[in-house]
Amino acid sequence: YSSSRGIPGLRRAQANYYQRRFGVKLNPDTQVVATLGSKEGFANMAQAITAPGDVVLCPNPTYPIHAFGFIMSGGVIRSLQVEPDDGFIPAVERGIRHSIPKPLALILNYPSNPTALVASLDFYKDVVAFAKKNDIIILSDLAYSEIYFDGNPPPSVLQVPGAMDVCVEFTSMSKTFSMPGWRMGFAVGNERLISALTRVKSYLDYGAFTPIQVAAAHALNGDGADIEEVREVYHKRRDVMVDSFGRAGWTIPAPAASMFAWAPIPEQFRQLGSLEFSKLLIEHADVAVAPGIGFGEHGDDYVRVALVENEHRIRQAARNIKKFLATTAKQPNNVVPLAARR
């Protein structure tokens, strides 16, 4: 069996990465724990800190485990806006006023999955000050920190002075180093919360396969060339997707970060909702997207397009979508949602 909290060399490598990338100093023995991916890390943290009935503030739409990790642990979710703008703190204030008991924790995820929104360091400063004032835990999912396209590296909430008092942040090797399926991630931050997570993990798992931990340490200790290569691949795919889908008749805002585009459903299909529109794309264009409603009810006017195919396949998808949209414009009655045929 391996070490549940991660072999020492791996925890040191993660601490060194945070020092290089964010200027954040971490104690690898007390402030870093290796997880079986950021998804399991979030779920394990929910088990560690949640009592039945605890309220957690969570953006909507968001990645499902952010909400369901706490729901499965007996918690209650109060939804917030996802946009990291001037309306965020007032929304959190309303969440506190209208919650009994007072919320336990606040979930952050920037760059966001599915919306690809990116938060600024000034935003994090405001949120940390608010959390400390109101005695709320911040749980930040930073899985997409290295996939950004416009020259502005997304910050870590732990860069804010004093954030370590109330924050734990989750990262993943899956996206940064193209290691999905290896199940390798990290939680870093507040010692007391990391200790609670470590204890829960000790009951649930024996840690990742040791050679995978060694490989992860080697990747983290590298010169960054691998990270840059991954980023460039996604950058090219993003540009091809935005351009080719736009010429096909589906305008999609260019995401500033992440491996996803948050695409508004074309106006003529919006009344169908994201699930039925996604079914139409599969049936009539052979293109699979994720329905926005799967990330929360406020996502139902969107679908998530993942940049997981190569540029040739993206262009092929665009050609199929162009034919689908053209056919729909000429013969709208021929395109009937699957649910309407039952």
Side-chain angles (χ1 to χ4, degrees):
Y1 297 122
S2 189
S3 170
S4 176
R5 65 192 184 114
I7 59 176
L10 177 59
R11 286 183 279 112
R12 285 195 299 270
Q14 175 70 348
N16 290 337
Y17 163 76
Y18 257 78
Q19 179 71 60
R20 293 193 310 270
R21 173 67 166 81
F22 303 111
V24 173
K25 187 175 181 180
L26 295 168
N27 183 331
D29 294 324
T30 60
Q31 295 177 317
V32 179
V33 60
T35 63
L36 302 181
S38 59
K39 183 176 181 178
E40 288 81 355
F42 241 95
N44 292 162
M45 178 60 81
Q47 290 176 292
I49 67 175
T50 309
D54 279 344
V55 177
V56 175
L57 303 173
C58 184
N60 186 335
T62 194
Y63 191 58
I65 197 62
H66 296 154
F68 284 99
F70 288 93
I71 291 171
M72 290 186 292
S73 299
V76 177
I77 295 297
R78 180 172 289 279
S79 294
L80 298 172
Q81 68 172 59
V82 68
E83 295 81 6
D85 57 21
D86 292 341
F88 191 87
I89 294 297
V92 177
E93 290 175 335
R94 289 192 298 273
I96 290 178
R97 282 199 307 271
H98 297 291
S99 296
I100 299 176
K102 187 192 77 173
L104 167 73
L106 167 65
I107 308 299
L108 300 177
N109 174 213
Y110 304 105
S112 169
N113 178 5
T115 66
L117 292 167
V118 180
S120 67
L121 190 56
D122 285 338
F123 169 81
Y124 283 141
K125 289 176 181 177
D126 291 341
V127 173
V128 168
F130 184 88
K132 296 182 79 169
K133 179 181 177 181
N134 291 276
D135 192 26
I136 294 176
I137 297 167
I138 294 175
L139 301 177
S140 169
D141 184 347
L142 196 63
Y144 299 94
S145 62
E146 296 294 359
I147 303 178
Y148 58 89
F149 310 124
D150 300 323
N152 296 313
S156 162
V157 66
L158 294 176
Q159 290 176 243
V160 178
M164 204 74 70
D165 297 337
V166 293
C167 296
V168 170
E169 191 158 68
F170 297 83
T171 56
S172 170
M173 302 291 287
S174 298
K175 287 78 182 177
T176 302
F177 293 98
S178 288
M179 291 170 61
W182 295 49
R183 306 320 303 141
M184 195 74 255
F186 300 92
V188 305
N190 180 268
E191 290 186 12
R192 184 165 173 262
L193 294 171
I194 292 296
S195 176
L197 173 58
T198 301
R199 174 165 294 196
V200 167
K201 275 180 50 63
S202 72
Y203 298 140
L204 295 175
D205 69 68
Y206 287 106
F209 183 41
T210 299
I212 288 178
Q213 295 195 48
V214 173
H218 177 77
L220 287 167
N221 288 327
D223 61 4
D226 294 337
I227 298 175
E228 181 62 37
E229 181 181 355
V230 170
R231 185 185 301 127
E232 187 59 29
V233 166
Y234 284 118
H235 194 169
K236 290 179 180 177
R237 291 178 182 177
R238 181 203 70 164
D239 290 347
V240 169
M241 185 272 298
V242 170
D243 176 65
S244 62
F245 278 45
R247 286 189 283 107
W250 187 4
T251 300
I252 298 177
S258 86
M259 54 188 284
F260 305 110
W262 190 230
I265 298 174
E267 186 63 39
Q268 64 267 38
F269 299 103
R270 200 158 295 170
Q271 77 281 0
L272 297 177
S274 59
L275 183 58
E276 291 304 322
F277 176 66
S278 298
K279 292 177 183 177
L280 287 180
L281 284 183
I282 290 177
E283 185 176 15
H284 295 280
D286 294 324
V287 174
V289 298
I293 197 164
F295 304 94
E297 63 272 21
H298 295 297
D300 202 25
D301 288 337
Y302 296 81
V303 294
R304 191 191 72 176
V305 180
L307 305 175
V308 293
E309 292 284 2
N310 63 42
E311 295 163 37
H312 171 74
R313 294 278 285 169
I314 292 171
R315 291 190 180 96
Q316 181 182 355
R319 289 194 293 270
N320 290 0
I321 288 170
K322 184 176 183 178
K323 292 178 184 177
F324 164 62
L325 294 176
T327 301
T328 304
K330 294 177 182 177
Q331 300 172 310
N333 294 331
N334 289 348
V335 181
V336 181
L338 297 178
R341 302 178 193 174
R342 298 190 182 104

